[in-house]
Amino acid sequence: MLTRDLLTYRVRQGVLRPAYVKRDDEALLAFAQELLAEVEASRGVMLDDVEESFGLKAGAFTRPKVARGLVKLLMDRLCFDEPSPGVSEARWERLKAAAGVLRTLPPDSTVEAYEARLAQVLPAPLPDVREALYADLPGHRRLVGWDGEPLTAQALVDRYNLALAQGPLLTARRLTLRALAPELLRVRKVLRWLKFCRLVAEVRHVGEDWSLEVEGPGAMLAMQKKYGLQLASFLSVVPVLGRWELTATVETARKQATLSLSDKDPLVSPLPAALGHVPAEVASLAEGFQDEAWELDLTPLPRHMGASGLCVPDLTFRHRESRREVALELFHAWHAGPLARRLAELRSRPDFGLLLGVDRALAKEAAERETLEAHPQVVLFNGFPSVKKLRERLSKLGAEASGR
């Protein structure tokens, strides 16, 4: 992500448009390639020195703000080593040894004499001790390489354009996405990434088009920053839809504005190979969910809700014998509004094939907690629902449905 001081955009008549760079800008691609070459040449170099080198290159580029943005995104993708355990304790011992040697020397001793005596009591050569003395400080961590796959110059420029569009979403409260006649496979991939980002959307399928209304955290201001990061992460997959339009109300330095994006913008998704990713907690649940009666499907389809809406479950349980399906939709701490609507929909149009996993942060009041705990289709959780509770609810849900 880019910090606010590195974002560039224009606001005209209340519409915010990022100031993209051209994807085929030869000077910018050459600069990006120069940065990548510097990464390879800087392996084993301390973080402070790497940042200084990149800073000098960015300052010398004809568009220093754009250059600093590329450097920020590049640094986010680099991996630096972690200090060995016991560095602070070793530093204290070395400093005590140095002080002890200093007290034994006469006042007129030279620096050379001091260093010679000190080298005799240290467990390693003096240059090595000096280098390792502050190895636990962030700036002394050494560059190991890439955190993940290495970037190309084109990928770095594309990530810059995407980051310009992601930045304003950090202050968004609602996002509206319309996919124009997309392939169903692309829709399923986008919806899966939506759930990976722990977002809940009101989904509509009208003709060949799909629309998603992703609501923000409402009055939970403490969740705004985290939620904004989730929205920004979701944007990274939107370009795979092909033809699409997106709007969001965002906060600028002066007032609110409407962020307007579409497939006409130079936005490229960096995630085509990662769309099959399964979140760690879901993978852990799948590994631990060994049940004779039910099997687990990690790629559920959208489910009809209410009169014309759709919900996007996080996963589906399928009865091995009857093939009956029960979907699970998760509601995290910032989903108070969507949860209230979903509960209202279940009251007006019962759906015994849907379980709601609800974060306990949404049930702080005693009355709310009692209501949710008594609901046969609700599973309260901290972090992620447990296998035991899911089995219990599946059993109860099956018994109630068969008795109706």
Side-chain angles (χ1 to χ4, degrees), residues 122-194:
L122 292 176
L126 184 55
D128 295 344
V129 171
R130 281 174 170 161
E131 184 175 350
L133 197 60
Y134 297 101
D136 56 336
L137 298 183
H140 286 241
R141 297 171 59 194
R142 296 185 178 276
L143 177 61
V144 175
W146 294 98
D147 183 7
E149 292 294 321
L151 291 176
T152 64
Q154 185 65 69
L156 182 56
V157 171
D158 288 340
R159 282 177 180 266
Y160 178 76
N161 278 334
L162 180 63
L164 290 178
Q166 288 176 314
L169 285 175
L170 295 178
T171 62
R173 292 298 185 91
R174 177 183 291 271
L175 178 152
T176 301
L177 171 64
R178 184 183 179 192
L180 308 175
E183 299 175 9
L184 181 57
L185 178 60
R186 294 175 182 268
V187 174
R188 291 187 66 180
K189 288 181 176 181
V190 169
L191 293 180
R192 185 166 184 177
W193 195 259
L194 176 89

Coordinates of all heavy atoms in Angstrom, one line a residue, residues 122-194:
L122 N 37.4 -10.7 24.2 CA 36.2 -11.0 23.5 C 36.2 -12.4 22.9 O 37.2 -12.9 22.5 CB 36.0 -9.9 22.4 CG 35.7 -8.5 22.8 CD1 35.7 -7.5 21.6 CD2 34.4 -8.4 23.6
P123 N 35.0 -13.0 22.7 CA 34.9 -14.4 22.2 C 35.0 -14.4 20.7 O 35.0 -15.5 20.1 CB 33.5 -14.8 22.6 CG 32.7 -13.6 22.7 CD 33.7 -12.5 23.2
A124 N 35.1 -13.3 20.0 CA 35.1 -13.2 18.5 C 36.0 -12.0 18.1 O 36.2 -11.1 19.0 CB 33.7 -13.1 17.9
P125 N 36.5 -12.0 16.9 CA 37.3 -10.8 16.4 C 36.5 -9.5 16.7 O 35.3 -9.5 16.5 CB 37.5 -11.1 15.0 CG 37.4 -12.6 14.9 CD 36.4 -13.0 15.8
L126 N 37.2 -8.5 17.0 CA 36.6 -7.2 17.3 C 35.7 -6.6 16.2 O 34.6 -6.2 16.5 CB 37.7 -6.1 17.6 CG 37.2 -4.8 18.1 CD1 36.3 -4.9 19.3 CD2 38.4 -3.9 18.4
P127 N 36.1 -6.7 14.9 CA 35.2 -6.2 13.8 C 33.9 -7.0 13.8 O 32.8 -6.4 13.6 CB 36.0 -6.4 12.5 CG 37.4 -6.4 13.0 CD 37.4 -7.1 14.3
D128 N 33.9 -8.3 14.0 CA 32.7 -9.1 14.0 C 31.8 -8.7 15.2 O 30.6 -8.7 15.1 CB 33.0 -10.6 14.1 CG 33.8 -11.1 12.8 OD1 33.7 -10.3 11.8 OD2 34.3 -12.2 12.9
V129 N 32.4 -8.5 16.4 CA 31.6 -8.1 17.5 C 31.0 -6.8 17.3 O 29.8 -6.6 17.7 CB 32.5 -8.0 18.8 CG1 31.8 -7.4 20.0 CG2 33.0 -9.4 19.1
R130 N 31.7 -5.8 16.7 CA 31.1 -4.5 16.5 C 29.9 -4.6 15.5 O 28.9 -4.0 15.7 CB 32.2 -3.6 15.9 CG 33.1 -3.0 16.9 CD 34.2 -2.2 16.3 NE 35.0 -1.4 17.2 CZ 36.2 -1.0 17.0 NH1 36.8 -1.1 15.8 NH2 36.8 -0.3 17.9
E131 N 30.1 -5.4 14.5 CA 29.0 -5.6 13.5 C 27.8 -6.2 14.1 O 26.6 -5.8 13.7 CB 29.5 -6.4 12.3 CG 28.5 -6.5 11.2 CD 29.1 -7.3 10.0 OE1 30.3 -7.5 10.0 OE2 28.3 -7.6 9.1
A132 N 27.9 -7.1 15.0 CA 26.8 -7.8 15.6 C 26.2 -7.2 16.8 O 25.2 -7.6 17.3 CB 27.2 -9.3 15.9
L133 N 26.9 -6.1 17.3 CA 26.5 -5.5 18.5 C 25.0 -5.0 18.5 O 24.3 -5.2 19.5 CB 27.4 -4.3 18.8 CG 27.4 -3.8 20.3 CD1 27.9 -4.9 21.2 CD2 28.4 -2.6 20.4
Y134 N 24.6 -4.4 17.4 CA 23.2 -3.9 17.4 C 22.4 -4.6 16.3 O 21.6 -4.0 15.6 CB 23.2 -2.4 17.1 CG 23.9 -1.6 18.3 CD1 25.2 -1.2 18.2 CD2 23.2 -1.4 19.4 CE1 25.8 -0.5 19.2 CE2 23.8 -0.7 20.5 CZ 25.1 -0.2 20.4 OH 25.7 0.4 21.4
A135 N 22.6 -5.9 16.1 CA 22.0 -6.6 15.0 C 20.5 -6.7 15.2 O 19.8 -7.1 14.3 CB 22.6 -8.0 14.9
D136 N 20.0 -6.5 16.5 CA 18.5 -6.6 16.7 C 17.8 -5.3 16.3 O 16.6 -5.3 16.4 CB 18.3 -6.9 18.2 CG 18.9 -5.9 19.1 OD1 19.9 -5.3 18.7 OD2 18.4 -5.8 20.3
L137 N 18.5 -4.2 16.0 CA 17.8 -3.0 15.6 C 17.2 -3.2 14.2 O 17.9 -3.8 13.3 CB 18.7 -1.8 15.6 CG 19.3 -1.4 17.0 CD1 20.2 -0.2 16.9 CD2 18.2 -1.2 18.0
P138 N 16.0 -2.6 13.9 CA 15.4 -2.8 12.5 C 16.4 -2.4 11.4 O 16.4 -3.1 10.4 CB 14.2 -1.9 12.6 CG 13.9 -1.8 14.1 CD 15.2 -1.9 14.8
G139 N 17.1 -1.3 11.5 CA 17.9 -0.9 10.4 C 19.1 -1.7 10.2 O 19.7 -1.6 9.1
H140 N 19.4 -2.7 11.1 CA 20.6 -3.6 10.9 C 20.2 -4.9 10.3 O 21.1 -5.8 10.1 CB 21.3 -3.8 12.2 CG 22.1 -2.6 12.7 ND1 23.4 -2.6 12.9 CD2 21.7 -1.3 12.9 CE1 23.8 -1.4 13.2 NE2 22.8 -0.6 13.3
R141 N 18.9 -5.1 10.1 CA 18.5 -6.4 9.4 C 19.0 -6.4 8.0 O 19.0 -5.4 7.3 CB 17.0 -6.5 9.5 CG 16.4 -6.6 10.9 CD 14.9 -6.5 10.8 NE 14.3 -7.6 10.1 CZ 13.0 -7.6 9.6 NH1 12.3 -6.6 9.9 NH2 12.6 -8.6 8.9
R142 N 19.4 -7.6 7.5 CA 20.0 -7.7 6.2 C 19.1 -8.2 5.2 O 18.2 -9.1 5.5 CB 21.3 -8.5 6.3 CG 22.3 -7.8 7.2 CD 23.7 -8.6 7.2 NE 24.6 -7.9 8.0 CZ 25.4 -6.9 7.6 NH1 25.3 -6.4 6.3 NH2 26.2 -6.3 8.4
L143 N 19.2 -7.7 4.0 CA 18.3 -8.1 2.9 C 18.5 -9.6 2.5 O 19.7 -10.0 2.2 CB 18.5 -7.2 1.7 CG 17.7 -7.6 0.4 CD1 16.2 -7.5 0.7 CD2 18.1 -6.7 -0.8
V144 N 17.5 -10.4 2.5 CA 17.6 -11.8 2.2 C 17.1 -12.0 0.7 O 17.8 -12.7 0.0 CB 16.7 -12.7 3.1 CG1 16.7 -14.1 2.6 CG2 17.2 -12.6 4.5
G145 N 16.1 -11.3 0.3 CA 15.6 -11.5 -1.1 C 14.1 -11.1 -1.1 O 13.7 -10.2 -0.3
W146 N 13.4 -11.7 -2.0 CA 12.0 -11.4 -2.2 C 11.1 -12.2 -1.2 O 11.3 -13.3 -0.8 CB 11.6 -11.8 -3.6 CG 12.2 -10.9 -4.6 CD1 13.3 -11.3 -5.4 CD2 11.8 -9.6 -5.1 NE1 13.6 -10.3 -6.2 CE2 12.7 -9.3 -6.1 CE3 10.8 -8.8 -4.7 CZ2 12.7 -8.0 -6.7 CZ3 10.7 -7.6 -5.3 CH2 11.6 -7.2 -6.3
D147 N 10.0 -11.5 -0.8 CA 9.0 -12.1 0.0 C 8.0 -12.7 -1.0 O 7.0 -12.0 -1.3 CB 8.3 -11.2 1.0 CG 7.3 -11.8 1.9 OD1 7.2 -13.1 1.8 OD2 6.6 -11.1 2.6
G148 N 8.2 -13.9 -1.5 CA 7.3 -14.4 -2.5 C 8.1 -14.4 -3.9 O 9.3 -14.3 -3.9
E149 N 7.3 -14.4 -4.9 CA 7.9 -14.3 -6.3 C 8.5 -13.0 -6.6 O 7.9 -12.0 -6.2 CB 6.8 -14.7 -7.3 CG 6.3 -16.1 -7.3 CD 7.4 -17.1 -7.6 OE1 8.2 -16.8 -8.6 OE2 7.4 -18.2 -7.0
P150 N 9.6 -13.0 -7.3 CA 10.2 -11.7 -7.6 C 9.3 -10.9 -8.6 O 8.6 -11.5 -9.4 CB 11.5 -12.1 -8.4 CG 11.8 -13.5 -7.9 CD 10.5 -14.1 -7.7
L151 N 9.4 -9.6 -8.5 CA 8.6 -8.7 -9.4 C 9.4 -8.5 -10.7 O 10.6 -8.5 -10.7 CB 8.3 -7.4 -8.7 CG 7.4 -7.4 -7.5 CD1 7.3 -6.0 -6.9 CD2 6.0 -7.8 -8.0
T152 N 8.6 -8.1 -11.7 CA 9.2 -7.6 -12.9 C 9.0 -6.1 -13.0 O 8.2 -5.6 -12.2 CB 8.6 -8.3 -14.2 OG1 7.2 -7.9 -14.2 CG2 8.7 -9.8 -14.1
A153 N 9.7 -5.4 -13.9 CA 9.5 -4.0 -14.0 C 8.0 -3.7 -14.3 O 7.4 -2.7 -13.8 CB 10.4 -3.4 -15.1
Q154 N 7.4 -4.4 -15.3 CA 6.0 -4.2 -15.6 C 5.1 -4.4 -14.4 O 4.2 -3.7 -14.2 CB 5.6 -5.1 -16.8 CG 4.2 -4.8 -17.3 CD 4.1 -3.4 -17.9 OE1 4.7 -3.1 -19.0 NE2 3.3 -2.5 -17.3
A155 N 5.4 -5.5 -13.7 CA 4.5 -5.8 -12.5 C 4.6 -4.7 -11.5 O 3.6 -4.4 -10.8 CB 4.9 -7.1 -11.9
L156 N 5.8 -4.1 -11.3 CA 6.0 -3.0 -10.3 C 5.2 -1.8 -10.7 O 4.5 -1.2 -9.9 CB 7.5 -2.7 -10.1 CG 7.8 -1.7 -9.1 CD1 7.3 -2.0 -7.7 CD2 9.3 -1.5 -9.0
V157 N 5.3 -1.4 -12.0 CA 4.5 -0.3 -12.5 C 3.0 -0.6 -12.3 O 2.2 0.3 -11.9 CB 4.9 0.0 -13.9 CG1 3.9 1.1 -14.5 CG2 6.3 0.5 -14.0
D158 N 2.6 -1.8 -12.7 CA 1.1 -2.1 -12.5 C 0.7 -2.1 -11.1 O -0.4 -1.6 -10.8 CB 0.9 -3.5 -13.1 CG 1.0 -3.6 -14.6 OD1 0.8 -2.5 -15.2 OD2 1.1 -4.7 -15.2
R159 N 1.5 -2.5 -10.2 CA 1.2 -2.4 -8.7 C 1.1 -1.0 -8.3 O 0.3 -0.7 -7.4 CB 2.3 -3.2 -7.9 CG 2.1 -4.7 -7.9 CD 3.2 -5.4 -7.2 NE 3.0 -6.9 -7.2 CZ 2.3 -7.6 -6.3 NH1 1.8 -7.0 -5.2 NH2 2.2 -8.9 -6.4
Y160 N 1.9 -0.1 -8.9 CA 1.8 1.3 -8.5 C 0.4 1.9 -8.9 O -0.2 2.5 -8.1 CB 2.9 2.1 -9.2 CG 2.9 3.6 -8.9 CD1 3.3 4.1 -7.7 CD2 2.4 4.4 -9.9 CE1 3.2 5.4 -7.5 CE2 2.3 5.8 -9.6 CZ 2.7 6.3 -8.4 OH 2.7 7.6 -8.2
N161 N 0.0 1.6 -10.1 CA -1.4 2.1 -10.5 C -2.5 1.5 -9.6 O -3.4 2.2 -9.2 CB -1.6 1.7 -12.0 CG -1.0 2.6 -13.0 OD1 -0.8 3.8 -12.7 ND2 -0.7 2.1 -14.2
L162 N -2.3 0.2 -9.3 CA -3.3 -0.4 -8.4 C -3.3 0.2 -7.0 O -4.4 0.5 -6.5 CB -3.1 -1.9 -8.3 CG -4.0 -2.7 -7.4 CD1 -5.4 -2.7 -8.0 CD2 -3.6 -4.2 -7.3
A163 N -2.1 0.5 -6.5 CA -2.0 1.1 -5.2 C -2.6 2.5 -5.2 O -3.2 3.0 -4.2 CB -0.6 1.2 -4.8
L164 N -2.5 3.3 -6.3 CA -3.1 4.6 -6.4 C -4.7 4.5 -6.2 O -5.3 5.4 -5.7 CB -2.8 5.2 -7.7 CG -1.4 5.7 -7.9 CD1 -1.2 6.3 -9.3 CD2 -1.0 6.7 -6.9
A165 N -5.2 3.4 -6.8 CA -6.7 3.2 -6.7 C -7.1 2.6 -5.3 O -8.2 2.9 -4.8 CB -7.2 2.3 -7.8
Q166 N -6.2 1.8 -4.7 CA -6.5 1.2 -3.4 C -6.4 2.2 -2.3 O -7.2 2.2 -1.3 CB -5.5 0.1 -3.1 CG -5.6 -1.2 -3.9 CD -4.6 -2.2 -3.7 OE1 -3.4 -1.8 -3.6 NE2 -5.0 -3.4 -3.5
G167 N -5.5 3.2 -2.4 CA -5.3 4.2 -1.3 C -6.6 4.9 -0.8 O -6.9 4.9 0.4
P168 N -7.4 5.4 -1.7 CA -8.6 6.1 -1.2 C -9.6 5.2 -0.6 O -10.4 5.6 0.3 CB -9.2 6.7 -2.6 CG -8.0 6.8 -3.5 CD -7.1 5.7 -3.1
L169 N -9.5 3.9 -0.9 CA -10.5 2.9 -0.3 C -10.2 2.7 1.2 O -11.1 2.2 1.9 CB -10.4 1.6 -1.0 CG -11.1 1.5 -2.4 CD1 -10.8 0.2 -3.0 CD2 -12.6 1.8 -2.3
L170 N -9.1 3.1 1.7 CA -8.8 3.0 3.1 C -9.8 3.8 4.0 O -9.9 3.6 5.2 CB -7.4 3.4 3.4 CG -6.3 2.6 2.8 CD1 -4.9 3.1 3.1 CD2 -6.4 1.1 3.3
T171 N -10.4 4.8 3.4 CA -11.4 5.6 4.1 C -12.8 5.4 3.7 O -13.7 6.1 4.0 CB -11.1 7.1 4.0 OG1 -11.2 7.5 2.6 CG2 -9.7 7.4 4.5
A172 N -13.1 4.3 2.9 CA -14.4 4.1 2.3 C -15.3 3.4 3.3 O -14.8 2.7 4.2 CB -14.3 3.2 1.1
R173 N -16.6 3.7 3.2 CA -17.6 3.1 4.1 C -18.4 2.1 3.3 O -19.1 1.2 3.9 CB -18.5 4.1 4.7 CG -17.8 5.0 5.7 CD -17.3 4.1 6.9 NE -16.7 5.0 7.9 CZ -17.4 5.4 9.0 NH1 -18.6 5.2 9.1 NH2 -16.8 6.2 9.9
R174 N -18.5 2.2 2.0 CA -19.3 1.3 1.2 C -18.7 1.3 -0.2 O -18.1 2.2 -0.7 CB -20.7 1.8 1.1 CG -21.7 1.0 0.2 CD -23.0 1.6 0.1 NE -23.7 1.5 1.4 CZ -24.5 0.5 1.7 NH1 -24.6 -0.5 0.9 NH2 -25.1 0.4 2.9
L175 N -18.8 0.1 -0.8 CA -18.3 -0.1 -2.2 C -19.4 -0.8 -3.0 O -20.0 -1.7 -2.6 CB -17.0 -1.0 -2.1 CG -16.3 -1.4 -3.4 CD1 -14.8 -1.6 -3.1 CD2 -16.9 -2.6 -4.0
T176 N -19.5 -0.3 -4.2 CA -20.5 -0.8 -5.2 C -19.8 -1.3 -6.4 O -19.1 -0.5 -7.1 CB -21.6 0.2 -5.6 OG1 -22.3 0.6 -4.4 CG2 -22.6 -0.4 -6.5
L177 N -19.9 -2.6 -6.7 CA -19.2 -3.1 -7.9 C -20.3 -3.7 -8.8 O -21.2 -4.5 -8.4 CB -18.3 -4.2 -7.4 CG -17.6 -5.1 -8.5 CD1 -16.7 -4.2 -9.4 CD2 -16.8 -6.2 -7.9
R178 N -20.1 -3.4 -10.1 CA -21.0 -4.0 -11.1 C -20.1 -4.7 -12.2 O -19.2 -4.1 -12.8 CB -21.8 -2.9 -11.8 CG -22.8 -3.5 -12.8 CD -23.6 -2.4 -13.5 NE -24.5 -2.9 -14.5 CZ -25.2 -2.1 -15.4 NH1 -24.9 -0.8 -15.4 NH2 -26.0 -2.7 -16.2
A179 N -20.4 -6.0 -12.3 CA -19.7 -6.8 -13.3 C -20.6 -6.9 -14.6 O -21.7 -7.4 -14.4 CB -19.4 -8.2 -12.8
L180 N -20.1 -6.6 -15.7 CA -20.9 -6.5 -16.9 C -20.7 -7.8 -17.7 O -19.7 -8.1 -18.3 CB -20.5 -5.3 -17.8 CG -20.5 -4.0 -17.1 CD1 -20.0 -2.8 -17.9 CD2 -21.9 -3.7 -16.6
A181 N -21.7 -8.7 -17.7 CA -21.8 -9.9 -18.4 C -20.5 -10.7 -18.3 O -19.8 -11.1 -19.3 CB -22.0 -9.7 -19.9
P182 N -20.1 -11.0 -17.0 CA -18.8 -11.7 -16.8 C -19.0 -13.2 -17.0 O -20.1 -13.7 -16.9 CB -18.5 -11.4 -15.4 CG -19.8 -11.2 -14.7 CD -20.7 -10.6 -15.8
E183 N -17.9 -13.9 -17.2 CA -18.0 -15.4 -17.1 C -18.2 -15.8 -15.7 O -17.7 -15.2 -14.7 CB -16.6 -16.0 -17.6 CG -16.3 -15.6 -19.0 CD -14.9 -16.1 -19.4 OE1 -14.3 -16.9 -18.6 OE2 -14.4 -15.8 -20.5
L184 N -19.0 -16.9 -15.5 CA -19.4 -17.4 -14.2 C -18.1 -17.7 -13.4 O -18.0 -17.5 -12.2 CB -20.3 -18.5 -14.3 CG -20.8 -19.1 -12.9 CD1 -21.5 -18.0 -12.1 CD2 -21.7 -20.3 -13.2
L185 N -17.1 -18.3 -14.0 CA -15.9 -18.7 -13.3 C -15.2 -17.5 -12.8 O -14.7 -17.5 -11.6 CB -15.0 -19.4 -14.3 CG -13.6 -19.9 -13.7 CD1 -13.8 -20.8 -12.5 CD2 -12.7 -20.5 -14.8
R186 N -15.2 -16.4 -13.5 CA -14.6 -15.2 -13.0 C -15.4 -14.6 -11.8 O -14.8 -14.1 -10.8 CB -14.5 -14.1 -14.1 CG -13.6 -14.5 -15.2 CD -13.6 -13.5 -16.3 NE -12.8 -13.8 -17.5 CZ -11.5 -13.5 -17.6 NH1 -10.9 -12.7 -16.7 NH2 -10.8 -13.8 -18.6
V187 N -16.7 -14.7 -11.9 CA -17.5 -14.2 -10.7 C -17.2 -15.1 -9.5 O -17.1 -14.5 -8.4 CB -19.0 -14.3 -11.1 CG1 -19.9 -14.0 -9.9 CG2 -19.3 -13.4 -12.2
R188 N -17.1 -16.4 -9.6 CA -16.9 -17.2 -8.5 C -15.5 -16.9 -7.9 O -15.3 -17.0 -6.7 CB -16.9 -18.7 -8.9 CG -18.3 -19.2 -9.3 CD -18.4 -20.7 -9.5 NE -18.1 -21.4 -8.3 CZ -18.1 -22.8 -8.2 NH1 -18.3 -23.5 -9.3 NH2 -17.8 -23.4 -7.1
K189 N -14.5 -16.6 -8.7 CA -13.2 -16.3 -8.2 C -13.2 -15.0 -7.4 O -12.7 -14.9 -6.3 CB -12.2 -16.2 -9.3 CG -11.8 -17.6 -9.9 CD -10.8 -17.4 -11.1 CE -10.4 -18.8 -11.6 NZ -9.4 -18.6 -12.7
V190 N -14.0 -14.0 -7.9 CA -14.1 -12.7 -7.2 C -14.8 -12.9 -5.9 O -14.4 -12.3 -4.9 CB -14.7 -11.7 -8.1 CG1 -15.1 -10.4 -7.3 CG2 -13.8 -11.3 -9.3
L191 N -15.9 -13.7 -5.9 CA -16.7 -13.9 -4.7 C -15.8 -14.7 -3.7 O -15.9 -14.4 -2.5 CB -18.0 -14.6 -5.0 CG -19.0 -13.9 -5.9 CD1 -20.2 -14.7 -6.1 CD2 -19.4 -12.6 -5.2
R192 N -15.0 -15.6 -4.2 CA -14.2 -16.3 -3.2 C -13.2 -15.4 -2.6 O -12.9 -15.5 -1.4 CB -13.5 -17.4 -3.9 CG -12.7 -18.3 -3.0 CD -12.3 -19.6 -3.7 NE -11.6 -20.5 -2.7 CZ -11.2 -21.7 -3.1 NH1 -11.4 -22.2 -4.2 NH2 -10.5 -22.4 -2.2
W193 N -12.6 -14.5 -3.4 CA -11.6 -13.5 -2.8 C -12.4 -12.5 -1.8 O -11.8 -12.1 -0.8 CB -10.9 -12.7 -3.9 CG -9.7 -12.0 -3.4 CD1 -9.6 -10.7 -3.1 CD2 -8.5 -12.6 -3.1 NE1 -8.4 -10.4 -2.7 CE2 -7.6 -11.5 -2.7 CE3 -7.9 -13.9 -3.2 CZ2 -6.3 -11.7 -2.3 CZ3 -6.6 -14.1 -2.8 CH2 -5.8 -13.0 -2.4
L194 N -13.6 -12.2 -2.1 CA -14.4 -11.4 -1.2 C -14.5 -12.0 0.2 O -14.3 -11.4 1.2 CB -15.8 -11.2 -1.8 CG -16.8 -10.5 -0.9 CD1 -16.8 -9.0 -1.2 CD2 -18.2 -11.0 -1.1

